[in-house]
Amino acid sequence: MCSGSLHSLGPALAAGAESPASGGMVPQAQFHPRKYLLDLADDITAQGGLIYERARVTGLSEGSPCKVTTEGGVTITAEDVIVATHFPVFDRALHFARLSQRRELVVAAPIAVGRAPKHMYVTDDMGKRSVRTAPLDGGRRLLVVTGESFTPGAGDSHQRFLRLDRWMHDHFPVGETAYRWAAQDNDVSDGVPLVGLFHPGARHVYVATGFGGWGMSGGAMAGQLLAALVTGAQPEWAGLYDPRRLWSTLREAPALLKQQVEVVRHFVGDRAKTTHVDSVAEIAPGSGAVVRIEGRHCAVYREEGGTAHAVSARCTHLGCLVSFNEAETAWECPCHGSRFGIDGKVLHGPALRPLSPRKV
């Protein structure tokens, strides 16, 4: 895949014309991720593999064999284990210190086939924007636009959605916005994904994480590399992605320090606040806030009908205080990106345990 500067989103692009090379517009390769994954799943099962969904793993015991334990209490043994959970859910390798998370907002709207862009584009000189399309019925395609990103728990996602939506309608003859959602990406402090043995003492546990928004190409690379390592091969390029690498220590030190300063700021600073609001009564319907109840920080969400739901405000990963994302109705940890529903259930790791319920 390649990206380039999209200097103009004028009539030529909006009308679906090919982008001239001289205009600085470089199209990206585009494929259908769901079709790709379905074929991959079919190939795995055809070769005797088994795929289980809705079986959250909450425990890992390294050894020979290794053992993983699921949320339902089932224990599975395996010669080798790969922790490919987006953000590693086990902290024994301290990867959380090298990873930062960001949410990427997405909006989509129908557009006539004849007016749709023929390629996938990325801008880098007008504020980051990515444009692509997907099949839709009735002589239309679905225009998909991304480009507003922020740290979970630390951004005004509602205003960012509005800004992204306005940009899409300003540049393309689209209909009413049909969908909006968000993705979450992990960035490594030195900019290179972590793919290989989990930690210096690991022998049969591997990890794949930190693709920095390039999960399709990074995931394919990780699959090839891990397959080689598990079967005893050692590709000459394996050291580039080795999670145990030391060669990038000096280069990543400034980014690593900045990242940890931000984590400490939230961990200590958020607790230093007397309260986020003074009382549960101040929380408006359809919104949430952190309130101190009987000396404890509680994350309280009030439904449109008035009912309030309270859970512990301490993230179950490492204890930072969560913040409310109004646009997505979720509690988010600004330290390492864990996300929880208003009932406290885990929506996104690295947290494994839900937020405990509290009395209002």
Side-chain angles (χ1 to χ4, degrees), residues 12-303:
L13 179 58
E18 295 288 344
S19 58
S22 60
M25 296 179 286
V26 182
Q28 293 181 294
Q30 180 175 341
F31 69 98
H32 199 299
R34 184 171 182 271
K35 291 181 179 179
Y36 168 76
L37 291 174
L38 289 175
D39 281 350
L40 185 61
D42 287 342
D43 188 51
I44 290 172
T45 56
Q47 298 189 52
L50 299 175
I51 299 174
Y52 291 91
E53 298 180 283
R54 303 184 185 279
R56 183 190 296 273
V57 172
T58 57
L60 168 63
S61 175
E62 298 186 48
S64 185
C66 299
K67 296 182 179 181
V68 294
T69 306
T70 70
E71 192 174 38
V74 176
T75 297
I76 303 166
T77 60
E79 184 63 32
D80 297 283
V81 172
I82 296 172
V83 181
T85 56
H86 195 239
F87 194 116
V89 294
F90 303 109
D91 292 324
R92 63 198 63 177
L94 302 182
H95 290 320
F96 66 84
R98 302 174 67 183
L99 293 170
S100 59
Q101 292 213 23
R102 56 186 163 89
R103 286 190 74 67
E104 189 87 14
L105 303 186
V106 189
V107 294
I111 186 171
V113 169
R115 307 297 300 277
K118 293 185 179 180
H119 299 294
M120 176 178 173
Y121 296 92
V122 168
T123 74
D124 62 11
D125 59 351
M126 300 185 304
K128 185 181 65 176
R129 294 289 184 264
S130 174
V131 178
R132 71 201 76 183
T133 63
L136 199 62
D137 57 8
R140 303 175 300 169
R141 290 187 69 80
L142 188 68
L143 183 73
V144 181
V145 178
T146 70
E148 288 286 334
S149 60
F150 62 96
T151 300
D156 187 346
S157 54
H158 181 69
Q159 290 300 318
R160 293 178 184 277
F161 266 124
L162 291 177
R163 187 158 57 238
L164 190 61
D165 189 73
R166 184 167 55 249
W167 187 91
M168 176 177 67
H169 282 84
D170 285 347
H171 291 88
F172 294 93
V174 295
E176 184 177 351
T177 301
Y179 305 99
R180 69 176 193 175
W181 68 93
Q184 195 150 311
D185 294 311
N186 298 317
D187 297 300
V188 184
S189 49
D190 69 354
V192 182
L194 305 174
V195 183
L197 284 168
F198 200 12
H199 54 79
R203 296 295 178 267
H204 296 282
V205 177
Y206 302 82
V207 68
T209 188
F211 298 123
W214 296 93
M216 290 288 99
S217 53
M221 173 278 295
Q224 294 178 352
L225 177 54
L226 291 171
L229 295 176
V230 168
T231 55
Q234 189 68 31
E236 60 181 16
W237 47 279
L240 175 63
Y241 300 100
D242 193 334
R244 305 164 300 174
R245 60 183 178 258
L246 297 177
W247 53 265
S248 64
T249 302
L250 291 178
R251 187 179 72 175
E252 68 178 309
L256 188 61
L257 179 60
K258 179 181 178 181
Q259 180 178 319
Q260 295 314 304
V261 167
E262 185 67 14
V263 169
V264 171
R265 183 180 72 82
H266 284 291
F267 191 86
V268 177
D270 289 351
R271 281 167 171 73
K273 300 176 183 176
T274 303
T275 182
H276 290 219
V277 297
D278 291 332
S279 68
V280 174
E282 291 186 29
I283 301 174
S287 64
V290 173
V291 187
R292 194 185 295 272
I293 301 177
E294 297 182 352
R296 296 191 298 183
H297 285 102
C298 298
V300 182
Y301 170 75
R302 186 181 297 282
E303 294 181 354

